[in-house]
């Protein structure tokens, strides 16, 4: 006799593939083009080891061109192109959710079905939190090691109450973009805390753009798409981080684990004195990496870095020799 089983509601292999395919595009940063799937990172993700190397060619130097002559013996000295590498750290992640069968029985609806409908949203939030933690690590590394050349700091120090010069303002944002010099127009997205976003709304600096008839309005600030995320805070109360991005500023790769199962459903019939329980396990291997920086692995306690460890300056160092090559800039404000 045919029976409807839990595996008919959630088919593990199909569910994992669904999570994998949709996690690449679901958050605002992914939709904006700030975070782009990186083919090299994706290829390396399923290999062994905790980290991998992504080599890159440096740009040609701006050495002045030769002045040609008609002297046969005068030979030009060829220049060379340099190469460097970025070390990318993998993260091996797992989450699980459990339901007691009696609880679903009494509620009249399936807790497990509700859980599976929200798993994708959970992982989307995890990707964004780990991305922001990585960006914070890059910021702190830049301040510690590169003289803060990617950063503008207008927050109030020394006590007192912040004034308008310490809050998000057009001049400060432009100065932040100018840390890229003549490449300031590369900045296409700006991510800010909701508290900071409120100042822009109050000052009527947010313009809403509707890309198509059926789409939601997209907020913009000085031509840059706006992303609002309350993870953009510092360890000091009332001090916030606003991040400006160019397209493809962050590389991304995600995949189900190479061994084992991306999704597992575990049933314990005897739990709850025979009422039974069901647990949904979800696993992913992940690499999120701000391009232009290398992971140093200086302070990691376990196999994968935590969000707190991603935010440590000691775990990042700039791999690109030129600041202009990194399309990321930071504004620190109240």
């Amino acid at each position: 006799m045919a029976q409807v089983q839990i595996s008919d509601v959630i088919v593990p292999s199909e569910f994992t593939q669904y999570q994998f395919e949709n996690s690449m595009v679901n958050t605002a940063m992914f939709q904006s083009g700030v975070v782009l799937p990186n083919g090299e990172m994706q290829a390396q993700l399923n290999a062994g080891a905790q980290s991998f190397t992504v080599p890159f060619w440096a740009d040609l130097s701006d050495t002045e061109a030769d002045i040609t002559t008609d002297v046969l013996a005068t030979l030009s000295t060829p220049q060379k192109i340099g190469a460097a590498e970025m070390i990318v750290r993998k993260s091996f992640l797992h989450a699980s959710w459990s339901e007691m069968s009696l609880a679903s029985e009494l509620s009249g609806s399936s807790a497990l079905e509700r859980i599976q409908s929200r798993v994708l949203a959970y992982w989307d939030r995890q990707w964004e939190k780990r991305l922001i933690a990585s960006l914070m690590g890059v910021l702190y590394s830049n301040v510690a090691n590169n003289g803060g050349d990617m950063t503008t700091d207008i927050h109030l120090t020394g006590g007192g109450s912040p004034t308008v010069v310490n809050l998000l303002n057009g001049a400060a944002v432009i100065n932040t973009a100018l840390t890229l010099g003549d490449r300031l127009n590369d900045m296409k997205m700006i991510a800010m805390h909701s508290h900071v976003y409120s100042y822009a709304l109050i000052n009527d600096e947010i313009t809403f753009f509707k890309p198509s008839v059926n789409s939601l309005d997209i907020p913009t600030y000085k031509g840059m798409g706006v992303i609002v995320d309350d993870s953009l805070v510092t360890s000091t109360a009332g001090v916030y981080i606003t991040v400006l991005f160019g397209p493809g500023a962050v590389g991304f790769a995600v995949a189900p684990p190479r061994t084992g199962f991306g999704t597992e459903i575990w049933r314990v019939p005897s739990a709850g004195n025979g009422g039974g329980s069901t647990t949904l396990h979800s696993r992913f291997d992940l690499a999120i990496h701000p391009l232009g920086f290398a992971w140093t692995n200086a302070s990691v306690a376990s196999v994968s870095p935590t969000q707190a460890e991603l935010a440590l300056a000691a775990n990042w160092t700039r791999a690109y020799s030129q600041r202009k090559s990194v399309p990321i800039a930071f504004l620190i404000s109240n």
Side-chain angles (χ1 to χ4, degrees):
M1 181 176 65
Q3 294 178 324
V4 177
Q5 299 178 316
I6 294 171
S7 59
D8 295 318
V9 179
I10 304 173
V11 180
S13 60
E14 294 181 6
F15 188 67
T16 299
Q17 188 63 24
Y18 164 77
Q19 301 293 306
F20 167 65
E21 290 176 351
N22 286 276
S23 65
M24 303 292 280
V25 295
N26 237 37
T27 67
M29 288 194 183
F30 289 69
Q31 293 173 350
S32 70
V34 165
V35 182
L36 290 179
N38 184 289
E40 180 65 22
M41 289 171 58
Q42 191 69 48
Q44 294 282 353
L45 192 61
N46 285 328
Q50 295 176 338
S51 61
F52 56 89
T53 300
V54 177
F56 62 89
W57 291 110
D59 200 357
L60 299 180
S61 69
D62 289 328
T63 303
E64 184 178 356
D66 297 330
I67 304 300
T68 60
T69 74
D70 60 354
V71 179
L72 181 64
T74 302
L75 302 178
S76 169
T77 301
Q79 301 179 48
K80 64 179 181 179
I81 189 170
E85 60 187 26
M86 293 180 292
I87 307 300
V88 179
R89 181 62 186 259
K90 300 178 186 178
S91 295
F92 307 96
L93 306 175
H94 165 267
S96 61
W97 302 266
S98 182
E99 67 143 4
M100 294 300 295
S101 298
L102 183 60
S104 290
E105 187 75 18
L106 294 173
S107 69
S109 63
S110 170
L112 187 64
E113 289 186 20
R114 173 59 178 170
I115 289 168
Q116 64 91 17
S117 73
R118 298 303 301 160
V119 171
L120 175 59
Y122 167 82
W123 283 122
D124 286 338
R125 293 192 300 270
Q126 289 295 304
W127 305 158
E128 197 140 319
K129 287 179 183 295
R130 295 183 74 83
L131 167 59
I132 289 173
S134 299
L135 291 169
M136 299 297 281
V138 164
L139 164 62
Y140 298 142
S141 172
N142 177 249
V143 172
N145 302 312
N146 309 112
D149 61 1
M150 299 169 61
T151 307
T152 299
D153 190 347
I154 60 171
H155 88 282
L156 180 66
T157 58
S161 299
T163 66
V164 291
V165 299
N166 306 120
L167 308 179
L168 179 81
N169 60 80
V173 171
I174 291 170
N175 286 333
T176 303
L178 275 169
T179 62
L180 277 89
D182 55 11
R183 296 187 62 178
L184 78 162
N185 289 328
D186 288 355
M187 299 293 94
K188 301 300 181 186
M189 297 296 299
I190 181 169
M192 60 185 71
H193 190 278
S194 61
H195 190 71
V196 175
Y197 182 63
S198 69
Y199 295 135
L201 284 172
I202 291 169
N203 293 328
D204 199 25
E205 294 181 296
I206 298 296
T207 302
F208 290 92
F209 166 68
K210 195 176 186 68
S212 64
V213 174
N214 296 321
S215 66
L216 297 174
D217 290 342
I218 297 175
T220 65
Y221 183 90
K222 296 194 176 301
M224 295 178 286
V226 176
I227 301 164
V228 181
D229 194 301
D230 283 345
S231 299
L232 291 164
V233 295
T234 69
S235 58
T236 303
V239 181
Y240 305 97
I241 304 296
T242 298
V243 190
L244 282 63
F245 300 96
V250 179
F252 174 83
V254 64
R258 187 167 52 91
T259 59
F261 301 95
T263 301
E264 282 188 281
I265 301 167
W266 186 253
R267 177 75 179 165
V268 183
S270 61
N273 203 27
S277 71
T278 306
T279 301
L280 172 65
H281 294 269
S282 183
R283 303 179 184 89
F284 280 105
D285 296 349
L286 175 73
I288 294 180
H289 194 86
L291 301 182
F293 275 75
W295 178 260
T296 68
N297 207 47
S299 181
V300 180
S302 188
V303 175
S304 299
T306 64
Q307 292 178 25
E309 289 167 341
L310 289 171
L312 293 177
N315 282 325
W316 298 94
T317 186
R318 193 157 77 197
Y320 286 174
S321 59
Q322 296 187 61
R323 185 273 171 271
K324 289 183 182 181
S325 299
V326 184
I328 302 173
F330 301 95
L331 172 62
I332 305 174
S333 69
N334 294 106

